[in-house]
Amino acid sequence: MDIRLGNGYDVHRFGVGDQVTLCGVEIPHNRGLQGHSDADVGMHAITDALYGAVARGDIGQHFPPSDPQWKGAASEIFLRHAVELTRDLGFAIANVDCTLVCEFPKIGPHSEQMRAELARILAIEIDRVSVKATTSERLGFTGRSEGIAALATAALVKI
Ligand code: MG
């Protein structure tokens, strides 16, 4: 059995705004996340986990931030590309697990919608998609609410 694991990590800083997009779900908030694309930190971490599992670089190589065509882009474009790449290489996605690290907004009320949205893009069953959240006990940049961090793991199986 040929099993591949990948990890992903991303951070985006808070700036002016009234909503954040996390794992494809728009959440009203008193600030927004800054970034070249829609700054969906969770989806970026998952995208990098998929690239990592098949050893095909990272999101910055496939979608350079210097390229104006990705300005304000929906991160679904990036995730979809990674999903198609893993398929083209003959792998099925066994599961994806994502952890969002922030004090606010609270993730719990939105996690089911996030799982559903990710499962749709990944084209796998929802019980193969996990979205968790933790605070960092008000320590560090996430604890001071300067930004949001995300970690992700993906497991792939060769078919
Ligand atoms: Mg990012």
Side-chain angles (χ1 to χ4, degrees):
M1 218 175 176
D2 188 350
I3 297 172
R4 310 290 178 94
L5 300 179
N7 70 66
Y9 175 73
D10 195 28
V11 171
H12 281 265
R13 71 169 66 235
F14 280 120
V16 176
D18 57 11
Q19 60 99 20
V20 296
T21 302
L22 294 172
C23 295
V25 176
E26 292 183 1
I27 302 172
H29 192 47
N30 58 3
R31 281 183 286 174
L33 286 174
Q34 295 182 335
H36 194 69
S37 65
D38 65 7
D40 189 333
V41 64
M43 210 175 278
H44 293 180
I46 294 168
T47 302
D48 260 351
L50 293 177
Y51 288 137
V54 290
R56 288 298 190 279
D58 57 45
I59 195 169
Q61 290 174 18
H62 292 281
F63 300 96
S66 55
D67 188 336
Q69 72 171 305
W70 309 123
K71 187 166 172 54
S75 295
E76 178 172 343
I77 295 167
F78 312 148
L79 182 56
R80 204 172 279 287
H81 176 267
V83 169
E84 286 166 9
L85 180 62
T86 61
R87 291 256 164 69
D88 291 346
L89 292 167
F91 289 91
I93 300 167
N95 79 300
V96 165
D97 183 22
C98 179
T99 300
L100 298 167
V101 186
C102 59
E103 306 291 326
F104 296 101
K106 289 298 172 196
I107 303 302
H110 307 283
S111 62
E112 290 308 300
Q113 196 185 343
M114 292 175 180
R115 292 177 65 211
E117 183 66 6
L118 292 169
R120 179 184 66 77
I121 300 166
L122 295 164
I124 58 177
E125 302 94 327
I126 194 166
D127 65 358
R128 293 176 182 271
V129 181
S130 162
V131 176
K132 318 194 296 300
T134 186
T135 71
S136 44
E137 297 282 324
R138 298 187 191 161
L139 297 171
F141 71 88
T142 52
R144 293 188 296 269
S145 291
E146 294 168 2
I148 297 180
L151 305 94
T153 302
L156 310 185
V157 181
K158 189 100 180 192
I159 39 177

